Amino acid sequence: MARTALRGRLLDFVGDPAQSVAAVRLVDDGLLLIDNGRIVARGEYRPLSRALNPSEEVTDLSGCLLMPGFIDTHTHFPQLDVVASPSGGLLDWLTKHAYPAEAKFADPAVCEDAARFFLDELAANGTTSACVLGTVHAQSVEALFAEAHARGMRVVAGKCLMDRNCPNELRDSADDGVRDSLDLAARWHGKARLAYAITPRFAASCSDRQLQLAGELARARPDLYVQSHLAESESEVRWVRELFPRARSYLDVYDSFGLLRERSIYAHCIWLDSIDRQRFAQSRATAAVCPSSNLFLGSGTFDFRQAVQSGMAIALATDIGGGQSFSMLAAMRAAHDVARLKGSVLPATQLFYWATRGAAQTLGWDDQVGTLEAGAEADLLVLDLAATPLLARRTAAADSVEALLFALMHLGDDRAVRETFIAGRPSKRRRRATLSGMAAVDSARSRELALRFAGRLRAAPGDGVLKP
Ligand SMILES: [Zn+2]
């Protein structure tokens, strides 16, 4: 593959903006050289361009921001088809929408189709890496890894361990769950850019024995990740207290089974107390904060101030399908809004850091991704500051990096993602809306299908009724 030269405004972080204002690095007229999947040079355009061969073409991305690709630290690919479905909260959402959708993943063809769509959607939104939960079925994770491998993506994934309090068709056993996890890890962990995560779905869906076996595996294999959910909603926390009466807290359930350690990623972390926060920070686990999902399901508001003060490692996540958007920009603006509800202001630079370099650091990918430094893997995002008339007008008026990023995260979405590079390859596919299993349809056919589907819709008793 020929060397790629990109000219534009370069933005990345050399450290945590909360620690130092010098952590934000911006080159107004920069050049980035990519060769063989890696960044080989970065810097000011003028001096660096002299090193180019006369035959080398430079892609002019003036007016765009070139930055490291987003890292989504918690998302469910099997919940694609229930994104934006209403519910009365987390447990209602799981039984009404998530579990029925996941049951369909017993069929490998469903897994493969969803894996393709899901990874396309990540790239469309500028996300180059993700920590992904499959279903209980090993074939769901098999399909996701195969597709991510074909695209050269850096992905963490695991099959859900769930042997109680869920529908029969989604139930494994403690022993089968660990065996399937080990099989998947043997096939995929460490292959190219893939990594396996031991994935107890959440404490309430796992028996003591299942958590015990998962913990033993986590101790025996410190190279594997652990991912799960923690203290998402109040009713869930109450339920976990009933199921594990001896545990001091929800966090203590995972901790007592050996599942709280470096390389463990816990989504939500809303209902923690100060002892939990201290213990979490000390364990060097990652809090994957999912504010869009938390607002959508009414789960609660993450306390950024307390989490930062106690030294917890924070990253951001979409939590598809509890979250409604694949865009990490949407996750950032929800994080901002949630912090405001708690009386603090989160700077945009901090949020962009958590979505890129901060996530890479806490996942152990420091210097590999989340940075534009020479030597890093070329996972990049090109954000078009003039993607919409309002964005163009507003970003033109920005007088600082903070003002620019603040406007971008509040006004931007997938339209602002001009291109996504995965290991140096342009990966944002120009897609047209299709229905599952059908070839691309032309607009006349789309209209016809839309009308036909509309004809099937009927009002159900209780539709649109306020349910307190
Ligand atoms: Zn989740």
Side-chain angles (χ1 to χ4, degrees):
M1 201 161 64
R3 201 157 77 152
T4 305
L6 307 174
R7 181 181 186 177
R9 203 183 273 188
L10 310 182
L11 173 95
D12 69 350
F13 299 90
V14 292
D16 186 341
Q19 313 289 333
S20 159
V21 283
V24 187
R25 185 163 64 165
L26 182 78
V27 180
D28 256 327
D29 184 14
L31 183 66
L32 206 61
L33 294 180
I34 300 168
D35 197 10
N36 207 16
R38 287 186 183 271
I39 297 168
V40 291
R42 69 173 293 283
E44 299 278 352
Y45 176 76
R46 288 269 165 247
L48 201 53
S49 59
R50 289 191 209 113
L52 293 172
N53 302 323
S55 60
E56 267 184 298
E57 252 183 61
V58 177
T59 305
D60 186 1
L61 297 167
S62 313
C64 293
L65 201 57
L66 272 72
M67 56 173 292
F70 292 135
I71 300 171
D72 184 348
T73 52
H74 179 88
T75 180
H76 300 250
F77 97 94
Q79 293 179 16
L80 261 181
D81 294 328
V82 288
V83 160
S85 302
S87 83
L90 169 66
L91 301 175
D92 182 55
W93 151 267
L94 285 175
T95 49
K96 208 184 275 173
H97 301 298
Y99 290 155
E102 292 186 18
K104 295 180 184 156
F105 283 67
D107 178 355
V110 170
C111 302
E112 286 158 24
D113 173 63
R116 276 192 296 273
F117 191 99
F118 183 82
L119 296 180
D120 277 350
E121 203 62 32
L122 289 186
N125 283 278
T127 298
T128 48
S129 278
C131 305
V132 187
L133 285 86
T135 60
V136 71
H137 314 100
Q139 61 265 34
S140 67
V141 178
E142 181 72 25
L144 186 80
F145 274 143
E147 191 61 34
H149 187 253
R151 297 168 191 232
M153 277 184 86
R154 183 174 277 282
V155 161
V156 176
K159 79 138 225 133
C160 285
L161 302 170
M162 42 202 293
D163 69 347
R164 66 166 170 172
N165 296 324
C166 58
N168 280 335
E169 63 270 29
L170 287 177
R171 206 169 287 201
D172 60 4
S173 71
D175 294 272
D176 288 352
V178 164
R179 196 200 53 223
D180 284 352
S181 303
L182 273 171
D183 281 353
L184 283 163
R187 287 173 53 69
W188 297 105
H189 183 71
K191 187 170 184 175
R193 306 172 79 198
L194 306 175
Y196 192 77
I198 304 161
T199 308
R201 185 184 193 109
F202 71 129
S205 72
C206 300
S207 64
D208 281 42
R209 179 167 163 75
Q210 185 160 55
L211 290 173
Q212 187 194 329
L213 292 185
E216 283 170 14
L217 181 56
R219 266 191 290 265
R221 293 287 306 271
D223 57 318
L224 300 181
Y225 287 86
V226 171
Q227 60 180 353
S228 190
H229 298 88
L230 168 65
E232 179 173 355
S233 81
E234 278 184 294
S235 50
E236 173 214 14
V237 172
R238 277 197 299 274
W239 190 24
V240 168
R241 196 179 298 141
E242 284 165 23
L243 293 169
F244 299 92
R246 283 197 303 244
R248 195 201 71 81
S249 65
Y250 194 158
L251 180 71
D252 190 43
V253 175
Y254 296 125
D255 199 9
S256 61
F257 285 107
L259 289 160
L260 185 68
R261 58 150 163 81
E262 202 171 344
R263 286 191 166 223
S264 57
I265 306 154
Y266 283 98
H268 310 298
C269 306
I270 295 173
W271 303 96
L272 304 184
D273 62 17
S274 58
I275 297 174
D276 287 331
R277 288 194 190 92
Q278 272 173 18
R279 173 68 193 117
F280 197 99
Q282 181 198 29
S283 74
R284 307 187 67 191
T286 302
V289 185
C290 315
S292 330
S293 166
N294 302 151
L295 291 172
F296 182 73
L297 293 175
S299 302
T301 47
F302 181 81
D303 197 325
F304 284 96
R305 185 170 21 199
Q306 298 241 40
V308 168
Q309 276 171 0
S310 57
M312 285 170 66
I314 295 172
L316 296 175
T318 61
D319 192 28
I320 292 293
Q324 326 89 299
S325 172
F326 274 79
S327 175
M328 290 297 285
L329 295 169
M332 285 183 224
R333 62 180 169 263
H336 167 271
D337 295 354
V338 160
R340 283 302 306 124
L341 286 172
K342 290 212 175 282
S344 20
V345 179
L346 279 177
T349 41
Q350 187 65 47
L351 290 158
F352 273 82
Y353 169 75
W354 280 334
T356 56
R357 187 172 187 121
Q361 283 202 312
T362 179
L363 295 174
W365 300 338
D366 197 13
D367 300 332
Q368 290 171 283
V369 289
T371 171
L372 301 184
E373 200 53 71
E377 296 163 6
D379 281 359
L380 313 172
L381 163 60
V382 180
L383 286 169
D384 182 355
L385 302 177
T388 67
L390 180 60
L391 195 59
R393 189 180 171 103
R394 182 62 189 83
T395 54
D399 58 0
S400 67
V401 182
E402 173 60 27
L404 178 73
L405 296 182
F406 196 86
L408 195 50
M409 83 180 180
H410 281 283
L411 301 173
D413 53 31
D414 58 335
R415 290 169 296 175
V417 177
R418 162 92 70 97
E419 189 52 271
T420 304
F421 289 87
I422 292 172
R425 267 203 305 248
S427 300
K428 178 162 175 162
R429 298 183 182 187
R430 306 292 180 250
R431 296 180 299 156
R432 300 167 66 190
T434 61
L435 291 167
S436 183
M438 303 178 102
V441 285
D442 63 28
S443 58
R445 177 102 174 103
S446 293
R447 262 197 307 279
E448 182 200 317
L449 283 166
L451 287 171
R452 196 168 346 136
F453 279 94
R456 283 195 207 157
L457 300 178
R458 298 278 180 276
D463 265 10
V465 176
L466 178 67
K467 294 176 192 116

